[in-house]
Amino acid sequence: MALVPAIIGAYLLMQFGIEKLVNPFRDVPREFNPDKIWFLRATWRCFYFLSFSTAYWFLRQTIKNQKRINQMELEGLQAEREKAELEKGLVRSQNALLQAQISPHLLFNTLNFIYNSVQDVSPKASEGVLLLSEVMHYALQRVHEDGKTDLQYEVEHIEKYIALNQLRFSYPLHLQMKCSGRLQGKIPPLLLLTFVENTFKHGDLTDPTQTACISVANQQDTLHFSTSNKKRKHHGGRGYGIGIQNAKTRLREFYDEQDYTLTIDEDEQRHAVHLKIKLT
């Protein structure tokens, strides 16, 4: 409100100046002496334009505020929908968790029954059932809140997986596993097993002159993991691509680029993996 007198004064001065400026250019210049009527008319005209411009400004602000309110309401509805979807997802996850808790319980009880039933009949079969039970127990329960597992459990799981595969075949599998350093730290569960599974699935482990090798080492809080094996000439599998691609995806999800390196070396005869991860 304090600006209104100033605006009116500025408008009157502007009108006075325009009249003085334009008057000499008229065909018949007229004498200009501002009187009370001129001031009233100019003031009224100023109020008219001021009211019109103020109304226009308020209209624009109202439209702008209404758009903002509509946008906020739209975002609120979107947030409500997302919240509803999250709640539905939570319910589904809770149901899946209950099912997952029931299924392993049934599985372990069944494996325990089979183990007790065949222990006296076939020690080899009972050993296989026991190893399978321990492998399944690790895969389902050895995970921390951050989604990782202890490195030592991962190594133990690999050793049991190797022993389980040794029991499956009547002929010996030529594979060596070496571990060095203190196996401490955490890694994504079953990550290393992906490469070990590829070794069993696609590697030729029957040639004693080209033994497959698995190496796990912890050097200065850095995991050094490698596999090397002779390629199987003919196999029904789809190759190394899918398993390794899944491993690469998991590495990107858990680590920054500077925290790990993965190198794949292969030719027509051999396949080798070299993985290095900073342990936490």
Side-chain angles (χ1 to χ4, degrees):
M1 294 299 293
L3 290 176
V4 173
I7 294 173
I8 294 174
Y11 180 79
L12 292 175
L13 288 175
M14 182 182 66
Q15 288 294 317
F16 182 82
I18 292 175
E19 185 66 31
K20 288 291 187 180
L21 181 64
V22 173
N23 192 42
F25 296 97
R26 290 193 175 101
D27 295 336
V28 181
R30 65 187 180 185
E31 186 178 356
F32 176 66
N33 292 315
D35 53 11
K36 187 180 294 185
I37 296 177
W38 182 87
F39 278 107
L40 288 175
R41 287 179 177 175
T43 302
W44 168 252
R45 196 178 297 114
C46 179
F47 270 115
Y48 174 79
F49 289 122
L50 185 61
S51 300
F52 181 80
S53 60
T54 302
Y56 177 74
W57 181 84
F58 273 111
L59 179 61
R60 288 197 60 183
Q61 287 298 116
T62 301
I63 295 175
K64 184 178 180 180
N65 291 335
Q66 188 61 44
K67 288 183 178 179
R68 186 182 296 112
I69 292 172
N70 292 339
Q71 181 65 27
M72 293 176 63
E73 291 178 350
L74 182 61
E75 292 176 354
L77 291 174
Q78 183 67 24
E80 288 293 331
R81 285 195 294 267
E82 292 178 356
K83 181 180 178 181
E85 289 296 327
L86 288 175
E87 290 176 351
K88 291 180 181 179
L90 178 61
V91 172
R92 289 194 294 266
S93 298
Q94 290 173 342
N95 291 335
L97 177 60
L98 291 176
Q99 294 174 355
Q101 290 174 341
I102 295 173
S103 299
H105 182 72
L106 177 62
L107 174 63
F108 293 140
N109 284 343
T110 304
L111 290 174
N112 186 56
F113 168 76
I114 296 174
Y115 172 76
N116 292 327
S117 299
V118 303
Q119 187 174 13
D120 295 333
V121 178
S122 175
K124 184 177 181 180
S126 64
E127 183 182 358
V129 172
L130 180 61
L131 286 172
L132 177 60
S133 177
E134 292 175 348
V135 166
M136 294 298 298
H137 184 271
Y138 165 79
L140 294 172
Q141 299 186 10
R142 293 287 189 177
V143 179
H144 296 284
E145 292 182 357
D146 59 358
K148 295 181 181 180
T149 187
D150 294 325
L151 176 59
Q152 62 179 8
Y153 293 142
E154 180 82 358
V155 173
E156 291 175 2
H157 177 61
I158 292 174
E159 291 174 342
K160 292 174 182 177
Y161 180 80
I162 293 174
L164 184 61
N165 277 277
Q166 290 280 8
L167 291 174
R168 292 175 55 204
F169 303 98
S170 58
Y171 52 86
L173 299 178
H174 299 281
L175 181 145
Q176 294 181 348
M177 181 172 179
K178 301 178 182 179
C179 299
S180 60
R182 301 179 63 182
L183 301 180
Q184 295 180 340
K186 296 188 295 182
I187 61 171
L190 308 178
L191 175 66
L192 305 185
L193 183 69
T194 300
F195 303 106
V196 176
E197 284 180 331
N198 276 334
T199 298
F200 278 96
K201 186 176 181 180
H202 307 295
D204 182 0
L205 308 183
T206 62
D207 188 349
T209 63
Q210 298 191 50
T211 301
C213 297
I214 300 173
S215 175
V216 182
N218 184 355
Q219 300 176 2
Q220 299 179 348
D221 295 327
T222 299
L223 170 66
H224 295 265
F225 172 81
S226 64
T227 65
S228 177
N229 61 270
K230 177 183 177 182
K231 282 186 176 182
R232 192 183 306 176
K233 292 184 178 179
H234 304 286
H235 59 79
R238 304 175 70 181
Y240 290 90
I242 296 177
I244 290 179
Q245 186 59 44
N246 290 339
K248 289 180 179 179
T249 300
R250 298 186 67 204
L251 285 168
R252 288 194 297 267
E253 290 176 352
F254 279 92
Y255 299 100
D256 296 329
E257 291 184 0
Q258 65 272 15
D259 293 334
Y260 76 94
T261 57
L262 176 63
T263 305
I264 310 296
D265 298 320
E266 64 176 323
D267 53 31
E268 295 182 355
Q269 298 296 325
R270 296 193 66 82
H271 182 273
V273 174
H274 305 276
L275 174 63
K276 184 169 66 174
I277 301 175
K278 292 183 180 180
L279 297 173
T280 57

